[in-house]
Amino acid sequence: MKLLILDTVNGGHNADLFVIEKGVSEMKKMQLGYVPELSFDAVNNQILVVETELKSADSEPTRYWLKGYSADNFDLLFQKETPVRPMYSGFPGRSTRIKSSASGNFLYFLETQLHPTALDIYRTIVHRYDRKRDALESSKIKIDSCMIDFGQFGEDEDELCFHLACEYPSVVAFANFNSENLDLLHLVKLNARTYGKQETCGSCFSVDKENLY
């Protein structure tokens, strides 16, 4: 039995993952990237990580990674560079930005980008890693709202569900990876979130005549 404790180091450029194993007195520590999030893939016995590698110089771009570690010895088994991932909408640690399908073959993860027309909304795109093909695939699903959680739903591994917030508070959305259609289920009738200019780690930015926030 192992206990994993993730310390995001208060927004530092790197995070620490502490590994405590039952019956072993020595504690291990791994260094991960900026605001990583973890998930355990029981089918493949792997620790899955999405993380950000912040640029160390102006000439180096910020990079985003999907990684898989052995749950036995924490050796790095694979890594794939991904598009920009959500880091603030939902807050790291409160939501998981990577999910394994029931068979363990597909690893679903998210990309965040600016909305093409609205200045105060982020758009979320769904991607997945196909283990058998060793390939990244992009979905037609586009969600213009922040989310609390998501995952594979049902017997068909293309079927996904999303627990939404912000523009769609208390809403569950059902979708198919190969379709752009969303089936929305409103759990409670609530008004959409109202954004404020002083937000720092929210899921939006706004513009007025004098200042860019």
Side-chain angles (χ1 to χ4, degrees), residues 123-171:
R123 170 164 286 180
T124 300
I125 310 294
V126 182
H127 302 275
R128 70 184 180 188
Y129 171 56
D130 186 331
R131 289 182 182 272
K132 292 181 180 179
R133 296 175 52 243
D134 188 28
L136 298 180
E137 301 177 339
S138 297
S139 172
K140 297 179 180 179
I141 301 171
K142 297 179 177 64
I143 298 176
D144 296 331
S145 183
C146 58
M147 67 180 64
I148 297 173
D149 205 355
F150 83 106
Q152 193 247 319
F153 181 79
E155 297 181 359
D156 186 343
E157 294 197 317
D158 291 333
E159 300 295 328
L160 301 170
C161 64
F162 307 86
H163 187 192
L164 305 183
C166 298
E167 283 71 28
Y168 294 92
S170 193
V171 171

Side-chain angles (χ1 to χ4, degrees), residues 17-103:
L17 178 63
F18 297 93
V19 183
I20 303 173
E21 190 168 358
K22 186 176 182 179
V24 178
S25 59
E26 184 177 352
M27 180 175 57
K28 298 179 182 178
K29 185 174 79 169
M30 297 172 55
Q31 188 175 78
L32 300 177
Y34 177 66
V35 291
E37 295 187 66
L38 308 178
S39 181
F40 176 60
D41 178 2
V43 176
N44 295 287
N45 194 37
Q46 292 178 1
I47 303 298
L48 307 174
V49 177
V50 286
E51 65 179 16
T52 302
E53 179 185 352
L54 295 178
K55 64 179 182 180
S56 56
D58 291 339
S59 59
E60 299 179 4
T62 294
R63 305 173 74 181
Y64 307 88
W65 298 98
L66 164 66
K67 297 181 179 180
Y69 294 88
S70 166
D72 295 324
N73 54 25
F74 291 90
D75 287 344
L76 179 63
L77 301 178
F78 71 87
Q79 63 177 15
K80 293 290 180 181
E81 190 167 4
T82 70
V84 178
R85 69 185 184 91
M87 290 181 289
Y88 299 114
S89 177
F91 299 101
R94 192 180 78 184
S95 54
T96 305
R97 302 303 182 190
I98 177 172
K99 288 294 177 66
S100 175
S101 65
S103 70

Side-chain angles (χ1 to χ4, degrees), residues 103-118:
S103 70
N105 183 54
F106 295 117
L107 302 181
Y108 288 97
F109 61 95
L110 306 176
E111 173 190 359
T112 187
Q113 55 185 232
L114 294 178
H115 191 278
T117 58

